[in-house]
Structures are given as structure tokens and as C-alpha cells.
């Protein structure tokens, strides 16, 4: 019965399991999902549990033996320390830039997010140039002090943790800043009215209220540090500091697939455990109901005499983490030789000319564009089919497909590379672009699923119902009504897959062979071989493209998806 003045909501169409093209499409997507996601990941588990064809835990015993236990311990403590540093820096900056009258807050917020837009191994290269033995920051200090060698080096566990903390602390900043912006500040105002000072209010009210956001951001930083390969490889291997990702890389080079798969499963356990902790933290946010959607705009906390000292510290920090690394890459790319004096006579453009004329770089650039474009297109096609079956058609079993497609989000890229190798190397795909493409699809499918699902949920059922009433079939309704409405979201999702795929390193370094290298692999190999200026020049070119792409992502997603 319809209440007068109201419009009856259209009934969801009943899906025919036989003869419905949407069901046929979902079954095809299920087959692809089984081949691309389920089969490779299952092989990693099976391979880790078999020795010489028999079921055994011997490989896991090797993985946690005294010789191999050290990388596991290094992974845990380095990621934990990275997370702690990220939570401290991210929370303090979020409070200063969101809740105080600090000058230049908007400009600083852009700089704070910049380290995350830069690929991690680019950051490792840049900080090596800043704090290495001939570093632009370290060498003047040593000369000033009259010391030949510093007591600390960037090529150390401390250097790995420092660079990872710089790269991943934006996770904490973004989550805490969002919580602070949504917070109902009536409790803070009441406390100040009762005579509480600013520090007391922050310690007893503000920080407890945003604690879930701080912890959730810390977990994200922990997961990123656990799965990272580029920073530990470039800064840790020289000091013989191994973590799980670099140990897996070393095991594959032997090759020792059994040990690599067992270590991969340990990596999965850590990552899934961290993801479960994040979900538990977010579920507990209901206890903090004072963080609401009310349109309350509190007066910013006045820093008084501390305003300009705080500005100097915050601005200096932002410059150090965001501007200095990029400046180091740019300067190095123009130096005639690494360690040359910083003067006009030492500058040259020959490295850029060499890079632009190098056949290997042109091939790597072409491979990168082909792989990233194909991965983005195929991910969006498969993701749209699954999301439509689940969010719109409500086909039985589609929820399971959505869950399976999202699963790779919790799996480190090192494990994905191992899975793809086990699944497809024996069928003639090893050493081809196809095997790298399969890894990209597996890794980035969750991006397309979440993007298209969010867009489809914004389309009202009445639009499809009108098409069906007019005599249009399911395919025509999808083609003429749904697809034009979701195109903006699909474009945003395509870009969100293309950009990380175009700068990917961890999977590519494990899967590439002669003539299938990507830009990320090329830069890594150049830096690892000691061609510092050439690697820096190529990094600068790629960085310009990445930053332009991130600006495009922000424009497209803000305009179409609302974030």
C-alpha cells in the first residue's frame, strides 16, 4: 500500500538463473576470477605444504629456523617502529593543520601528502643521495665538524625505518585529519569553559576521541611497511639487513621455491592479521559517537606565542620530507658525476639526452604503458561485471565473487608474484609481458571493484525499472542506461589502476626477463648497478608524469565520486 503523496519504490527484478545474460556474464566472470585469483593463490599454500610431492611442514620449519627467523623478526620490528613513528608524526601534523591557527595550513597539507605520491624506491634513492657517504646534507655537516666518516649511515636498519616512516605517515595524517574534521567539538568547548587548558583538553578529550583513527592509520602504515620491497632492497641489502620481502627475492634467485612460498605465507599471515586488527578498530568506533556529521565549525585553537615557532617546525618538516628528496633527484640528474661540487660548471643535461636515446628505456616505457593500460582496462571490465552482478542484479553467489575479488588487497605484492609464477610459468608464460599483466590484474582488481561498486550504488533502481517497463532487455538496459551513468566512475577507477601499475616495482622485479623490463625495474637496476645520475634523470621524468597523473586523479575523483 502506498501512502498518498509518496511514490512506490520499484520492486527489484527477479533474476532468472537460466537464460538471463547477466547470469551468463557472472559465470564467465567467476571462471576468470577462479583462474586469475583463486588458482594462483591456492598454489602458494599448496606448494608451501609439500616437499618432494608429500605433505609436510618441513618448509615452514626451515622458514622459522635460526638462519631464516631473522628476516621475520626484522619485518615485524621495523614495521612496528615505522608505524609508531608514523602515528606520532601524522597525529601531531594533523592536529596542527586542522585544529589550530597555524599559518599556511593548506599549502602544508599538500606537501604532507606528497611523499605518498612518490614511489617508495624513488624516496630511497633520494634519501641515499641526501644522507649517503657523499650526500648533499651529510657531507657539508661532516666537513664542518672535521669528520671523515659519519657514525651512522642511511644504508642501515635505521635508514630503512626512517624512509618507510616518511613514506607511510600520510596514511595516519589523512585518517586523523578526517576524524578531526568530523568531530563534534562541544566536549572540548565545555572543558575549556570549565577552566581546562589546551594541553589538558587535547590529552584528555581530543586524543581519546580520535584514537581509533590514529590506530587505524598506524595499522595501514604497518601493512605498507611489511609489504614494501623497494626501500629495504635499496637501503638494507648493503648492510645485510633482510626482511621477508627481500628474503623471498633472494630465495627466488637461488632458486628455492619451497622456502619462498613458506616465507610468502608468513607474510600473508602478518598482513591479514594487521587487516583484521584494522577492521576490529574501525568496528569499535561506534563507542565514540561524538564524532558525527554535524556542521560545527569550531574556532581554531590559538597558538599564541607558539604560533610562529610551530609554523617554523611544521614548515621545516614538510620541506624536509617532501621538497628535499625531489630536489636531490633533480640535482643529481644534472650533475656530471656523483659527488661533484654543487656549482654551475658541474651541471649538464647529457644524462637526459642519454636516457631519451636509450633503446632499453624506450622499450621499458612502452612495456609499462602497455601493461598499465591493459591491466586498467581488464580490471575495470572484470570489476564492473562482478560489481553489477552483486550491487545491481543481486544474482545469488555474486557476493562471494565480490569477496574473492577484494581478497588480494590484503596480500603483499611479493606473494602475488610468487603465485603467478607458480601458476603460469610452466605453461610457457615465464619471461613474457603476459605473466606480469596477470600479476597486475590480480593485485589491482580490488581497486576497480570498490570504485565501480560505489558508483553503481548511486544509481536509483527506478532508472533500470523504466527501461524494463519500456521493453528493453537486461543487456540493452545495461548498455543504454547503466553504462553511460557509470562511465565517469569507471574512468576514475581506470586511472586509479593505471597510476600504481605504471610505477610498480615489487611484482615486476620478480617476474621480468630480458626485454620485458618496466620503467620501475629499469630505474632499480640502474641505481643498483651504480649509474646514479642516469637513474636520477629517469626518475625525474617518471616523477613528473606521476605527479601530473595524481592531479588528474584528484580532479576526476572529486568531480565524479565525491572524494
Amino acid at each position: 500500500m502506498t501512502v498518498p503523496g509518496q511514490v512506490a519504490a520499484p520492486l527489484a527484478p527477479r533474476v532468472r538463473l537460466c537464460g538471463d545474460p547477466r547470469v551468463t556474464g557472472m559465470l564467465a566472470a567467476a571462471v576468470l576470477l577462479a583462474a586469475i585469483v583463486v588458482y594462483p593463490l591456492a598454489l602458494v599454500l599448496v606448494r608451501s605444504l609439500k616437499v618432494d610431492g608429500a605433505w609436510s611442514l618441513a618448509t615452514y620449519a626451515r622458514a622459522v629456523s635460526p638462519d631464516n627467523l631473522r628476516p621475520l623478526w626484522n619485518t615485524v620490528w621495523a614495521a612496528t617502529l615505522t608505524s609508531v613513528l608514523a602515528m606520532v608524526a601524522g597525529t601531531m601534523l594533523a592536529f596542527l593543520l586542522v585544529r589550530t591557527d597555524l599559518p599556511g595550513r593548506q599549502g602544508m597539507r599538500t606537501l604532507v601528502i606528497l611523499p605518498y605520491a612518490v614511489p617508495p624506491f624513488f624516496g630511497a634513492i633520494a634519501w641515499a643521495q641526501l644522507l649517503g657517504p657523499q650526500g648533499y646534507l651529510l657531507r657539508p655537516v661532516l666537513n664542518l665538524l672535521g669528520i671523515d666518516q659519519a657514525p651512522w649511515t642511511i644504508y642501515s636498519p635505521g635508514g630503512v625505518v626512517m624512509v618507510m616512516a616518511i613514506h607511510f605517515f600520510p596514511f595516519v595524517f589523512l585518517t586523523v585529519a578526517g576524524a578531526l574534521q568530523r568531530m563534534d567539538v562541544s566536549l572540548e568547548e565545555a572543558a575549556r569553559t570549565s577552566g581546562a587548558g589546551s594541553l589538558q583538553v587535547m590529552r584528555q578529550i581530543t586524543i581519546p576521541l580520535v584514537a581509533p583513527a590514529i590506530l587505524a592509520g598506524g595499522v595501514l602504515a604497518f601493512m605498507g611497511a611489511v609489504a614494501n620491497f623497494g626501500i629495504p632492497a635499496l637501503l638494507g641489502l648493503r648492510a645485510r639487513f633482510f626482511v621477508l620481502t627481500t628474503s623471498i627475492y633472494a630465495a627466488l634467485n637461488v632458486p628455492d621455491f619451497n622456502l619462498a612460498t613458506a616465507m610468502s605465507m608468513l607474510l600473508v599471515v602478518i598482513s591479514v592479521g594487521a587487516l583484521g586488527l584494522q577492521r576490529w578498530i574501525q568496528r569499535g568506533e561506534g563507542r565514540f559517537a561524538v564524532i558525527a556529521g554535524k556542521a560545527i565549525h569550531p574556532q581554531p585553537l590559538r597558538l599564541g606565542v607558539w604560533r610562529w615557532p610551530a609554523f617554523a617546525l611544521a614548515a621545516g618538516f614538510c620541506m624536509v620530507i617532501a621538497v628535499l628528496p625531489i630536489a636531490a633527484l633533480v640535482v643529481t640528474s644534472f650533475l656530471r658525476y656523483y659527488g661533484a661540487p654543487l656549482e654551475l660548471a658541474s651541471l649538464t643535461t647529457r644524462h637526459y639526452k642519454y636516457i631519451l636515446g636509450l633503446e632499453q628505456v624506450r622499450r621499458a616505457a612502452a612495456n609499462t604503458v602497455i601493461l598499465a593500460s591493459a591491466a586498467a582496462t581488464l580490471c575495470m571490465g572484470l570489476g564492473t561485471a562482478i560489481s553489477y552482478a552483486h550491487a545491481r542484479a543481486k544474482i545469488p553467489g555474486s557476493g562471494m565473487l565480490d569477496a574473492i575479488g577484494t581478497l588480494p588487497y590484503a596480500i603483499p605484492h611479493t606473494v602475488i608474484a610468487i603465485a603467478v609464477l607458480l601458476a603460469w610459468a610452466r605453461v610457457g608464460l615465464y619471461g613474457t609481458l603476459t605473466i606480469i599483466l596477470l600479476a597486475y590484474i590480480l593485485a589491482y582488481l580490488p581497486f576497480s571493484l570498490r570504485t565501480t561498486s560505489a558508483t553503481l550504488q548511486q544509481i536509483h533502481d527506478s532508472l533500470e525499472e523504466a527501461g524494463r517497463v519500456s521493453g528493453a532487455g537486461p543487456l540493452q538496459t545495461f548498455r543504454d542506461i547503466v553504462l553511460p551513468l557509470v562511465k565517469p566512475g569507471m574512468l576514475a577507477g581506470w586511472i586509479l589502476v593505471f597510476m600504481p601499475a605504471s610505477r610498480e616495482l615489487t611484482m615486476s622485479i620478480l617476474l621480468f626477463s630480458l626485454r620485458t623490463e618496466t620503467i620501475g625495474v629499469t630505474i632499480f637496476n640502474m641505481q643498483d648497478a651504480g649509474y646514479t645520475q642516469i637513474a636520477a634523470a629517469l626518475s625525474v621524468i617518471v616523477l613528473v608524469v606521476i605527479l601530473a597523473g595524481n592531479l588528474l586523479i584528484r580532479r576526476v575523483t572529486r568531480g565524479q565520486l565525491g572524494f
Side-chain angles (χ1 to χ4, degrees), residues 103-114:
R105 287 174 291 171
Q106 291 304 316
M108 283 192 225
R109 291 190 68 163
T110 302
L111 291 177
V112 165
I113 301 172
L114 190 58

Side-chain angles (χ1 to χ4, degrees), residues 133-485:
Q134 299 295 325
Y136 305 127
L137 292 181
L138 184 63
R139 179 49 53 187
V141 173
L142 295 181
N143 291 338
L144 183 64
L145 298 176
I147 302 175
D148 292 331
Q149 186 174 359
W152 177 84
T153 174
I154 190 72
Y155 298 105
S156 65
V160 171
V161 170
M162 183 197 77
V163 177
M164 288 199 301
I166 290 173
H167 182 75
F168 292 113
F169 97 94
F171 284 143
V172 182
F173 173 82
L174 290 172
T175 55
V176 176
L180 287 170
Q181 288 172 332
R182 297 190 306 269
M183 182 186 296
D184 183 348
V185 295
S186 57
L187 288 178
E188 291 179 311
E189 298 296 338
R192 290 192 181 94
T193 303
S194 301
S198 297
L199 290 179
Q200 186 178 3
V201 171
M202 183 173 66
R203 186 179 67 253
Q204 298 182 358
I205 296 178
T206 308
I207 291 180
L209 290 180
V210 297
I214 297 173
L215 293 175
V219 171
L220 287 174
F222 178 88
M223 292 176 62
V226 164
N228 186 260
F229 169 79
I231 296 173
L234 287 169
L235 301 181
L237 290 183
R238 293 190 185 185
R240 307 297 297 170
F241 178 73
F242 285 88
V243 294
L244 281 177
T245 52
T246 52
S247 294
I248 293 170
Y249 176 70
L252 286 176
N253 287 333
V254 172
D256 189 342
F257 269 95
N258 285 343
L259 181 60
T261 54
M263 286 185 169
S264 297
M265 293 310 300
L266 295 178
L267 203 58
V268 170
V269 169
I270 297 174
S271 298
V272 172
L275 184 62
L277 177 61
Q278 183 200 22
R279 296 281 177 87
W280 179 81
I281 290 170
Q282 290 176 335
R283 189 186 342 183
E285 287 181 350
R287 303 193 307 269
F288 302 85
V290 291
I291 298 181
K294 297 181 180 180
I296 296 177
H297 304 284
Q299 289 293 326
L301 176 65
R302 298 189 178 279
L303 297 175
V305 295
W306 295 102
R307 188 167 185 253
W308 290 106
F311 167 79
L313 288 174
F317 180 78
C318 291
M319 292 290 289
V320 167
I321 65 169
V323 177
L324 278 182
I326 295 177
L329 285 175
V330 173
V331 170
T332 302
S333 69
F334 285 105
L335 285 179
R336 294 185 180 277
Y337 59 92
Y338 188 56
L342 298 180
E343 54 189 33
L344 193 60
S346 300
L347 302 182
T348 181
T349 60
R350 68 183 183 187
H351 305 306
Y352 286 94
K353 295 178 182 178
Y354 177 78
I355 283 294
L356 295 176
L358 195 61
E359 193 270 338
Q360 178 188 354
V361 171
R362 293 197 299 268
R363 183 175 64 242
N367 290 341
T368 299
V369 172
I370 292 170
L371 288 170
S373 300
T377 302
L378 294 174
C379 280
M380 288 313 303
L382 183 57
T384 300
I386 296 172
S387 296
Y388 181 76
H390 177 54
R392 305 299 305 171
K394 309 292 184 185
I395 301 175
S398 58
M400 177 65 70
L401 296 185
D402 185 79
I404 293 174
T406 308
L407 177 64
Y409 176 76
I411 299 178
H413 286 184
T414 306
V415 181
I416 290 175
I418 297 286
V420 171
L421 271 175
L422 291 175
W424 308 114
R426 293 184 178 180
V427 296
L429 294 183
Y430 181 72
T432 66
L433 291 178
T434 303
I435 198 169
I436 303 177
L437 176 61
L438 290 170
Y440 285 8
I441 296 172
L442 201 165
Y444 298 118
L445 181 60
F447 289 45
S448 63
L449 277 173
R450 298 281 60 85
T451 306
T452 52
S453 179
T455 307
L456 285 167
Q457 288 172 359
Q458 296 175 349
I459 302 175
H460 199 273
D461 295 337
S462 60
L463 297 175
E464 289 182 88
E465 181 69 18
R468 286 188 291 268
V469 171
S470 301
L475 288 180
Q476 187 178 1
T477 301
F478 177 80
R479 185 185 67 244
D480 296 341
I481 297 176
V482 176
L483 192 58
L485 294 173

Side-chain angles (χ1 to χ4, degrees), residues 447 450-452 454-455 458 487-497 499 549-563:
F447 289 45
R450 298 281 60 85
T451 306
T452 52
T455 307
Q458 296 175 349
K487 275 184 179 178
M490 292 178 65
L491 175 60
W494 192 93
I495 297 173
L496 287 171
V497 174
M499 290 306 300
N550 276 276
L551 291 176
L552 179 61
I553 288 176
R554 292 178 64 180
R555 174 170 295 184
V556 172
T557 54
R558 282 182 177 180
Q560 305 297 342
L561 299 178
F563 57 86

